[in-house]
Amino acid sequence: MKLELENICIDFREIALYRDFSIGFDEGKITCILGPSGCGKTTLLNIIGNIVKPDRGNLSGFEGKIISYIFQDPRLLPWKTVKGNIEFVLGKEIPPEEREQLADHFIRLVELDDFAGYYPSKLSGGMRQRVSIARAFAYSSDIILMDEPLKGLDIKLKLNLIKTFSRIWEKDKRTVIFVTHEVDEALLLGNEIIVLSKPPAEILTHLSMEIPLGDRSLDSPSLSGLKMKLLNTLGN
Amino acid sequence: MKISFTNKQFWRIASVVFIMAVWKILSLIFSSDFVLPSPEKTLVTTLGLFSEKHFLVIVGSTVMRSLAGFTLSVILGIGLGIIAGTHPPFNAFLQPILITIRSIPVIALILLALIWLNPGSVPVFIAILTMFPFICINVIDGIKSVDPDLTEMARFYRVGRSRILRELYFPAIMPFIISGASSAMGIGWRAIITGEVLSQPLYGMGTWMQGAQTFLNVDAVIAWTILAVIISFGFEKTIRWGERKLTAWKF
């Protein structure tokens, strides 16, 4: 089934962000939305997450879907340990032992086993973002929304987090909608890459990536070719 | 055996020695036990208090009054503080009341309480009125300081209301509650003893202080005072210990 937004219209601070904008997302894929800063990417996520209602337009396929989030800032509770932070979002419907097992499982997947009992203040920025990734996956959602979660991290950390994220995702194949303004991130993480224009947003390009997530290298000729193409599209 | 002090400890000890020296010199100048007894004599009197008949009941009554006042203030302060912190209209309603209570001189509260209440409950009443506003105001400030990004995260992840309250708001305001409790205890403890001096409950440190003053037992007045200072110090230490336990994530 496809998740769709149809004929969306919305203004934000008197800017017409979207005018009769339609977009579709494949389930079980990572869709990267690439666009210049201020093009309304966050607003699009807010519409999908049902946090903001569009002035006009329809959403279909999102009914009853549970969503988890990875924010730009990890947003961890400073008074809870790594494990406590993950358990915090796991609902009462899950028995406590199971909650603990789930948390442990995802802590292992993001390679923070030795830090499960640490408070966020004792972790590095990259480690905190790993916790936030583990939290998003541990939460039994249908869709993960990511709002520039790699912004502000250095390139080495970024690549590291992308690797971690891809590894977990390969086992899980959850629907992911990921917004960014960094071409490299989109190329390394997207199954689908959609480029948006300045507002009112239009879809400039839609790429489907065939290379599996783990096998991508920014240095490879195919990716650097695509990178040039995307940068050109964004530049216009 | 060599005893070593840190620089800070040295100056702390120097400060105590200085107070004692000034006290000793003044007592030599006045050379009257009715004005200022010597530190040694007062020390003996202080130790003598422990063998006083009903000593534990006297001290226990005052401590119990302060604990009762403190507990009620914490419950009231946290309860009203959370409502005010999350409901701006109630906050607007509560602010003038808190400011008024805080501005009333303690002695005026005592005089009125003496008319309205029986001697035993006057100090507790005074304790609540002096302590509660501190805790309440701190809780309100604490709630205002809660990071909206965190509450948003909790809402997005559909965490239940009671868990958001218990696991997000409560720990976030804990440092504010503790700092409020610390100032409240400092002020409330003094107000309770003042209240006892004036209301004369059957047992209480204030009652005994007043008794000593009537008979010009200046050394006993000072001895009770020293005891009050030591107990207050104990409360402060307990609160700081609680802080380390309750906000371990900060240390």
Side-chain angles (χ1 to χ4, degrees):
Chain A
M1 207 174 90
K2 222 168 147 74
L3 306 166
E4 282 183 294
L5 271 68
E6 292 162 337
N7 307 318
I8 297 292
C9 292
I10 191 164
D11 293 359
F12 183 69
R13 290 191 187 138
E14 309 202 344
I15 299 167
L17 287 181
Y18 296 99
R19 283 285 170 270
D20 284 321
F21 177 80
S22 300
I23 189 169
F25 305 98
D26 289 325
E27 290 201 80
K29 279 192 176 176
I30 301 176
T31 305
C32 266
I33 298 171
L34 194 58
S37 297
C39 80
K41 297 185 298 274
T42 302
T43 305
L44 191 67
L45 287 187
N46 286 341
I47 292 172
I48 294 167
N50 199 16
I51 295 149
V52 168
K53 285 250 175 291
D55 301 331
R56 259 190 309 126
N58 290 317
L59 276 79
S60 69
F62 289 102
E63 304 84 9
K65 290 276 193 285
I66 296 169
I67 295 171
S68 49
Y69 297 80
I70 301 173
F71 307 94
Q72 195 181 310
D73 188 80
R75 299 196 188 184
L76 304 176
L77 304 178
W79 45 86
K80 283 194 180 283
T81 60
V82 166
K83 198 166 167 181
N85 263 287
I86 296 171
E87 287 179 88
F88 178 67
V89 301
L90 305 176
K92 274 203 209 85
E93 67 279 1
I94 308 168
E97 324 80 75
E98 211 173 303
R99 253 184 267 171
E100 213 184 317
Q101 280 171 11
L102 256 172
D104 282 334
H105 175 69
F106 285 95
I107 288 170
R108 244 192 327 277
L109 287 182
V110 295
E111 293 168 336
L112 286 177
D113 325 30
D114 295 337
F115 300 92
Y118 279 50
Y119 289 108
S121 61
K122 299 276 185 285
L123 304 176
S124 68
M127 286 159 107
R128 277 180 235 162
Q129 199 54 292
R130 277 167 193 273
V131 180
S132 143
I133 291 172
R135 179 175 65 189
F137 277 104
Y139 188 65
S140 64
S141 58
D142 305 296
I143 303 169
I144 295 179
L145 299 183
M146 300 205 282
D147 191 359
E148 310 215 28
L150 304 172
K151 200 173 177 178
L153 296 174
D154 68 53
I155 185 73
K156 227 179 108 195
L157 272 176
K158 257 186 206 187
L159 291 175
N160 225 315
L161 280 173
I162 288 173
K163 224 163 82 191
T164 308
F165 186 90
S166 316
R167 204 180 51 232
I168 303 175
W169 185 83
E170 286 295 350
K171 289 189 197 132
D172 187 287
K173 302 265 181 194
R174 219 174 291 191
T175 310
V176 174
I177 301 170
F178 171 33
V179 304
T180 181
H181 66 274
E182 290 277 348
V183 175
D184 289 352
E185 294 173 15
L187 284 169
L188 289 172
L189 263 181
N191 296 123
E192 305 288 324
I193 299 174
I194 298 173
V195 183
L196 296 186
S197 69
K198 291 196 182 99
E202 283 174 61
I203 295 176
L204 296 176
T205 314
H206 185 161
L207 282 178
S208 293
M209 303 283 289
E210 303 301 334
I211 318 166
L213 286 186
D215 301 342
R216 296 183 194 173
S217 158
L218 286 171
D219 306 324
S220 71
S222 59
L223 248 62
S224 41
L226 283 173
K227 182 172 173 176
M228 287 313 291
K229 198 180 149 197
L230 288 174
L231 281 173
N232 275 331
T233 321
L234 266 176
N236 289 330
Chain B
M1 192 176 78
K2 190 170 176 279
I3 300 167
S4 63
F5 295 113
T6 61
N7 203 20
K8 206 166 129 192
Q9 277 172 326
F10 171 79
W11 287 107
R12 278 183 180 163
I13 293 166
S15 166
V16 176
V17 172
F18 174 74
I19 295 169
M20 290 297 164
V22 171
W23 182 358
K24 180 70 192 172
I25 292 164
L26 287 176
S27 74
L28 286 173
I29 294 171
F30 291 122
S31 75
S32 160
D33 281 353
F34 295 117
V35 182
L36 187 66
S38 67
E40 325 73 274
K41 185 173 190 306
T42 313
L43 181 70
V44 173
T45 314
T46 310
L47 294 173
L49 290 183
F50 291 91
S51 55
E52 173 122 4
K53 206 176 154 199
H54 306 307
F55 173 76
L56 283 178
V57 186
I58 298 163
V59 175
S61 304
T62 305
V63 169
M64 286 313 288
R65 283 187 193 109
S66 71
L67 291 181
F70 181 72
T71 310
L72 290 170
S73 301
V74 167
I75 295 169
L76 205 63
I78 293 176
L80 292 179
I82 286 178
I83 303 173
T86 48
H87 297 80
F90 184 69
N91 189 25
F93 174 81
L94 196 64
Q95 283 301 330
I97 300 176
L98 291 175
I99 293 167
T100 309
I101 299 176
R102 275 227 300 203
S103 318
I104 300 172
V106 175
I107 200 74
L109 290 174
I110 298 174
L111 292 174
L112 288 169
L114 282 172
I115 300 170
W116 297 333
L117 304 166
N118 69 320
S121 29
V122 171
V124 181
F125 176 76
I126 299 305
I128 294 172
L129 286 183
T130 49
M131 295 198 232
F132 148 76
F134 275 98
I135 295 167
C136 194
I137 288 168
N138 271 37
V139 169
I140 296 170
D141 286 346
I143 287 189
K144 281 189 192 143
S145 80
V146 173
D147 184 354
D149 278 355
L150 291 182
T151 49
E152 190 183 65
M153 179 276 293
R155 256 185 312 119
F156 286 2
Y157 273 107
R158 307 200 295 186
V159 178
R161 273 180 75 95
S162 77
R163 279 187 76 198
I164 290 184
L165 194 69
R166 271 185 295 122
E167 295 177 42
L168 202 162
Y169 276 101
F170 209 68
I173 61 176
M174 196 42 99
F176 290 82
I177 295 177
I178 289 166
S179 99
S182 165
S183 1
M185 208 55 192
I187 291 198
W189 176 247
R190 283 179 283 171
I192 282 173
I193 294 178
T194 315
E196 287 180 343
V197 166
L198 290 166
S199 72
Q200 294 286 307
L202 195 51
Y203 295 104
M205 292 169 70
T207 311
W208 257 252
M209 242 184 235
Q210 163 76 3
Q213 197 260 358
T214 310
F215 297 105
L216 288 181
N217 291 334
V218 183
D219 55 333
V221 176
I222 299 175
W224 282 112
T225 309
I226 291 171
L227 201 61
V229 171
I230 293 169
I231 294 172
S232 172
F233 185 71
F235 283 140
E236 178 63 21
K237 282 278 165 208
T238 311
I239 290 172
R240 293 293 154 211
W241 174 82
E243 181 179 29
R244 284 187 174 270
K245 288 274 152 195
L246 293 167
T247 59
W249 53 276
K250 282 181 83 183
F251 295 98

